[in-house]
């Protein structure tokens, strides 16, 4: 494999006195699908948001496609165009129709013409199976449909990598499948993907690698079979047992470093 | 606690039930209101009032000028003042939200000063102080320009606060989504945030329009030509030439002709916005 598509070196991030990331090193190769799992407050979403600099890292470097985003002289807006991001809360633009949601960023950011933007929008809506909702407003769509539109909106910019921040966590359980199906399709097409998720089935079946984070550090990094199937660390085992079989968990003392910080 | 459960309780109070009490209290309120109306109507001298305020022939004589000239000018002053206020208010709102300290302070000072001064003083200031301070300079558009500026300066202070609140009411995720798609901060503001903010603040902005509509009457402190008179000045002038106050009443009705439908529109928009939130 050539140069990694996403490369994170010695990444630290603090919010005030709260050190959320304490030295992260991570490489994601071209076409690789990496799922990041871990308890809430472990820093996994912050890590994802640092990759496209939605959060400014306190220390460390982030490279995407060989370009150092943490270089203060880099054109961050230009760099972000090549990194798609999908949010937990969809964040579609509510004042625009589905097609406009896809077309406006292309026109304003990439300078594409009206016709081309409309064509690319239609193509990507078809990919996520929502061509018939082209003229609808986001508020009339289900959560699952909104999230698929959000994915299509990111794809319409022609990204070289996609970041997913708990894309199914805000969805009703019966709507999760449609979104995961779109993500699986993307993975099969060879998209480089970094996915923060609690969907263990997706991680097991689709991911090339699973990264387990806890307390702002990467605890375990390997194939799904290694990390989910045969975790080496006690913390990973503990987390997985709680996630896979929540009814069996026992009441425990809260430790202060686990409280707060859901990002 | 509903009435049904109350009745099931064994400790039922003696005397009037809750419904009866409510009816009685409402009846008393109506009675007081009607009595006050009757006292007012009986004590007013209707003949003199009619004589002074409702002379049909004087009212007739006002048309069509009261509409084609006075109302037209009032609308023109208001709309131009609103336009200046909106543009200036937007700039001040963005300064207020800026990460640059001095911008924020300047905007804050502007808002505090112009929100605290009576509009009348600002009209006098524009009319007297500006020509004094900059002799030889003419404000573009003559009286129309001066009115637009004076009304705009007043309106901008209020609108800036409204616009700022509107921008802050747009969820943070919208800016994050725009930035993650490669929008620059300015572009995200223009294409994504401000259009949504305006949806939120349309009702309060329309209210501001109603206020400006009334404040446009202050033009008379600038000194206007016959052709530049708006409703209040026109009504007052005619009232003094005819020695009768009917023109004041007609001018007043002309204001209501615009403000009542506008108020209706605002309430409709508010109801719609309420529905959208649900």
């Amino acid at each position: 494999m050539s140069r990694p598509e996403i490369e994170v070196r010695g990444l630290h991030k603090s919010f005030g006195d709260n050190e959320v990331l304490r030295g992260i090193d991570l490489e994601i190769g071209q076409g690789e699908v990496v799922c990041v799992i871990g308890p809430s407050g472990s820093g996994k979403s912050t890590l994802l948001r640092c990759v496209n600099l939605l959060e400014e890292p306190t220390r460390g470097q982030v490279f995407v496609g060989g370009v150092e985003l943490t270089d203060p002289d880099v054109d961050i807006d230009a760099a972000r165009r090549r990194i798609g991001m999908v949010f937990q809360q969809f964040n579609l633009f509510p004042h625009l129709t589905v097609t406009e949601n896809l077309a406006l960023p292309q026109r304003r950011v990439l300078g594409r013409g009206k016709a081309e933007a409309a064509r690319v929008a239609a193509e990507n809506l078809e990919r996520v199976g929502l061509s018939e909702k082209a003229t609808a407003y986001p508020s009339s769509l289900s959560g699952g449909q909104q999230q698929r539109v959000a994915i299509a909106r990111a794809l319409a910019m022609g990204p070289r990598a996609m970041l997913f921040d708990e894309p199914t966590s805000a969805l009703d359980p019966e709507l999760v499948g449609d979104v995961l199906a779109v993500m699986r399709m993307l993975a099969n097409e060879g998209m480089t993907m970094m996915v923060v998720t609690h969907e263990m089935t997706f991680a097991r079946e689709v991911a090339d690698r699973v990264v387990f984070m806890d307390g702002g550090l990467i605890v375990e990094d390997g194939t799904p079979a290694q990390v989910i199937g045969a975790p080496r660390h006690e913390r990973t085992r503990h987390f997985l047992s709680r996630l896979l079989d929540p009814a069996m968990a026992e009441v425990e003392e809260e430790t202060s470093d686990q409280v707060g910080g859901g990002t | 606690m509903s009435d049904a459960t109350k009745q099931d309780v064994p400790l039922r109070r003696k005397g009037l039930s809750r419904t009866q009490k409510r009816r009685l209290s409402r009846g008393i309120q109506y009675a007081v209101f009607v009595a006050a109306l009757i006292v007012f109507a009986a004590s007013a001298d209707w003949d003199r009032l009619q004589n002074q305020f409702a002379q049909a022939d004087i009212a007739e004589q006002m048309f069509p000028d009261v509409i084609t000239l006075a109302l037209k000018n009032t609308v023109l002053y208001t709309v131009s003042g609103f336009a200046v206020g909106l543009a200036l208010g937007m700039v001040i709102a963005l300064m207020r939200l800026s990460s640059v300290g001095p911008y924020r302070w300047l905007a804050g000072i502007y808002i505090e000063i112009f929100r605290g001064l009576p509009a009348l003083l600002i009209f006098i200031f524009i009319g007297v102080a500006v020509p004094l301070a900059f002799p030889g300079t003419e404000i573009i558009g003559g009286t129309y320009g001066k009115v637009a500026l004076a009304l705009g300066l007043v309106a901008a202070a209020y609108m800036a606060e409204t616009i700022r609140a509107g921008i802050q009411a747009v969820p943070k995720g919208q800016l994050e989504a725009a930035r993650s798609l490669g929008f620059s901060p300015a572009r995200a503001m223009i294409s994504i945030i401000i259009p949504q903010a305006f949806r939120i603040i349309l009702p309060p902005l329309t209210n501001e329009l109603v206020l400006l509509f009334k404040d446009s009457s202050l033009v008379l402190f600038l000194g206007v030509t016959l052709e530049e008179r708006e409703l209040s000045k026109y009504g007052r002038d005619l009232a003094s030439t005819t020695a009768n106050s009917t023109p004041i009443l007609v001018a007043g009705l002309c204001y209501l002709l615009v403000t009542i439908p506008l108020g209706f529109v605002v309430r409709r928009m508010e109801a719609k916005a309420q529905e959208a939130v649900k």
Side-chain angles (χ1 to χ4, degrees):
Chain A
M1 205 170 285
S2 57
R3 226 205 139 124
E5 188 62 47
I6 297 173
E7 189 179 352
V8 173
R9 278 196 215 146
L11 190 71
H12 288 255
K13 173 68 187 176
S14 303
F15 295 103
D17 289 335
N18 184 15
E19 197 175 20
V20 180
L21 298 178
R22 316 188 201 189
I24 300 282
D25 292 285
L26 182 68
E27 288 185 7
I28 298 177
Q30 216 159 17
E32 211 178 2
V33 176
V34 174
C35 281
V36 183
I37 62 172
S40 67
S42 60
K44 53 194 192 309
S45 282
T46 306
L47 170 61
L48 194 79
R49 292 161 60 88
C50 279
V51 170
N52 71 351
L53 252 64
L54 269 187
E55 301 290 354
E56 191 88 35
T58 313
R59 203 141 44 87
Q61 289 171 301
V62 176
F63 298 84
V64 175
V67 178
E68 187 192 342
L69 302 194
T70 35
D71 178 352
D73 291 329
V74 86
D75 180 354
I76 188 64
D77 298 321
R80 284 202 185 108
R81 285 170 210 165
R82 311 315 305 269
I83 313 166
M85 177 137 184
V86 175
F87 299 86
Q88 187 178 347
Q89 298 297 338
F90 331 132
N91 293 345
L92 292 180
F93 304 133
H95 61 302
L96 303 176
T97 65
V98 164
T99 297
E100 288 164 350
N101 259 279
L102 270 69
L104 185 79
Q106 296 180 57
R107 297 183 57 198
R108 293 280 181 278
V109 175
L110 301 178
R112 283 184 187 152
K114 207 170 182 175
E116 197 196 353
R119 184 180 56 75
V120 175
E123 275 172 20
N124 282 290
L125 277 182
E126 202 185 332
R127 283 172 85 185
V128 301
L130 285 172
S131 295
E132 60 177 32
K133 297 290 185 187
T135 56
Y137 279 91
S139 57
S140 68
L141 304 183
S142 74
Q145 290 170 334
Q146 288 193 47
Q147 193 60 297
R148 280 145 70 199
V149 172
I151 295 173
R153 179 176 68 179
L155 291 176
M157 305 297 281
R160 47 191 307 156
M162 289 280 286
L163 311 175
F164 293 85
D165 189 4
E166 303 200 25
T168 57
S169 296
L171 298 177
D172 289 335
E174 78 272 19
L175 302 175
V176 168
D178 290 339
V179 172
L180 291 182
V182 169
M183 291 168 62
R184 187 190 295 259
M185 172 193 82
L186 276 182
N188 290 338
E189 287 174 4
M191 176 65 77
T192 306
M193 292 163 66
M194 184 171 171
V195 186
V196 170
T197 187
H198 291 297
E199 297 293 335
M200 285 306 127
T201 320
F202 179 83
R204 201 162 10 207
E205 291 173 9
V206 181
D208 299 304
R209 259 165 63 211
V210 173
V211 171
F212 174 73
M213 280 181 71
D214 194 16
L217 289 166
I218 291 179
V219 176
E220 210 157 332
D221 180 350
T223 65
Q226 288 167 348
V227 178
I228 301 175
R232 281 173 296 141
H233 290 265
E234 175 51 34
R235 276 191 284 179
T236 319
R237 272 197 291 275
H238 184 234
F239 170 73
L240 286 170
S241 71
R242 297 203 128 221
L243 197 67
L244 298 173
D245 203 356
M248 292 306 289
E250 294 180 5
V251 178
E252 8 179 298
E253 283 298 313
E254 289 284 341
T255 50
S256 60
D257 61 22
Q258 282 176 335
V259 182
T263 48
Chain B
M1 215 181 290
S2 75
D3 285 4
T5 59
K6 188 113 206 179
Q7 276 165 10
D8 291 337
V9 175
L11 287 172
R12 226 181 127 175
R13 256 183 299 172
K14 282 173 207 153
L16 296 171
S17 76
R18 278 207 309 160
T19 338
Q20 283 170 321
K21 263 194 202 158
R22 202 183 308 147
R23 242 181 248 146
L24 183 67
S25 114
R26 186 136 335 146
I28 292 172
Q29 287 170 35
Y30 288 153
V32 169
F33 179 69
V34 169
L37 219 58
I38 290 171
V39 168
F40 173 76
S43 55
D45 187 335
W46 288 104
D47 283 344
R48 266 182 44 198
L49 261 182
Q50 192 192 358
N51 217 1
Q52 190 61 14
F53 276 101
Q55 291 284 356
D57 53 327
I58 295 177
E60 216 169 291
Q61 181 194 321
M62 291 174 73
F63 287 90
D65 272 7
V66 68
I67 303 289
T68 57
L69 178 85
L71 183 59
K72 187 202 82 183
N73 274 336
T74 298
V75 170
L76 214 59
Y77 291 144
T78 310
V79 170
S80 55
F82 188 77
V84 171
L86 193 62
L88 191 59
M90 176 65 80
V91 171
I92 294 167
L94 291 175
M95 283 170 70
R96 195 113 159 95
L97 291 168
S98 162
S99 53
V100 184
Y103 284 171
R104 281 200 308 274
W105 305 330
L106 271 178
I109 290 168
Y110 179 93
I111 290 168
E112 289 309 329
I113 289 178
F114 281 87
R115 207 169 45 176
L117 288 176
L120 170 58
L121 289 192
I122 294 169
F123 271 86
I124 293 172
F125 179 79
I126 295 289
V128 180
V130 170
L132 268 179
F134 308 101
T137 51
E138 265 293 307
I139 291 172
I140 311 154
T143 307
Y144 291 99
K146 279 188 212 162
V147 179
L149 187 63
L151 279 180
L153 286 175
V154 180
Y158 289 95
M159 287 202 226
E161 285 295 86
T162 309
I163 294 169
R164 179 186 60 82
I167 288 174
Q168 285 178 329
V170 176
K172 206 172 146 242
Q174 292 291 311
L175 182 63
E176 288 187 347
R179 293 306 306 275
S180 78
L181 286 161
F183 281 85
S184 68
R187 237 171 237 268
M189 191 52 100
I190 293 166
S191 299
I192 306 296
I193 306 297
I194 288 177
Q196 293 185 54
F198 265 91
R199 257 146 227 257
I200 298 169
I201 61 174
L202 211 52
L205 277 188
T206 315
N207 261 331
E208 182 61 32
L209 189 64
V210 172
L211 292 179
L212 280 185
F213 193 70
K214 296 186 292 175
D215 276 349
S216 65
S217 62
L218 297 169
V219 175
L220 66 99
F221 289 96
L222 288 177
V224 291
T225 66
L226 287 181
E227 293 306 301
E228 291 167 349
R229 289 180 299 177
E230 44 63 68
L231 280 172
S232 291
K233 173 84 170 137
Y234 180 82
R236 248 174 50 136
D237 285 359
L238 217 61
S240 60
T241 49
T242 57
N244 187 286
S245 300
T246 305
I248 304 281
L249 185 80
V250 174
L253 290 176
C254 284
Y255 278 105
L256 296 183
L257 201 66
V258 173
T259 54
I260 290 176
L262 265 180
F264 180 74
V265 169
V266 172
R267 279 191 298 280
R268 277 287 298 274
M269 285 191 297
E270 277 172 347
K272 250 191 172 169
Q274 202 69 45
E275 226 163 83
V277 170
K278 274 180 200 164

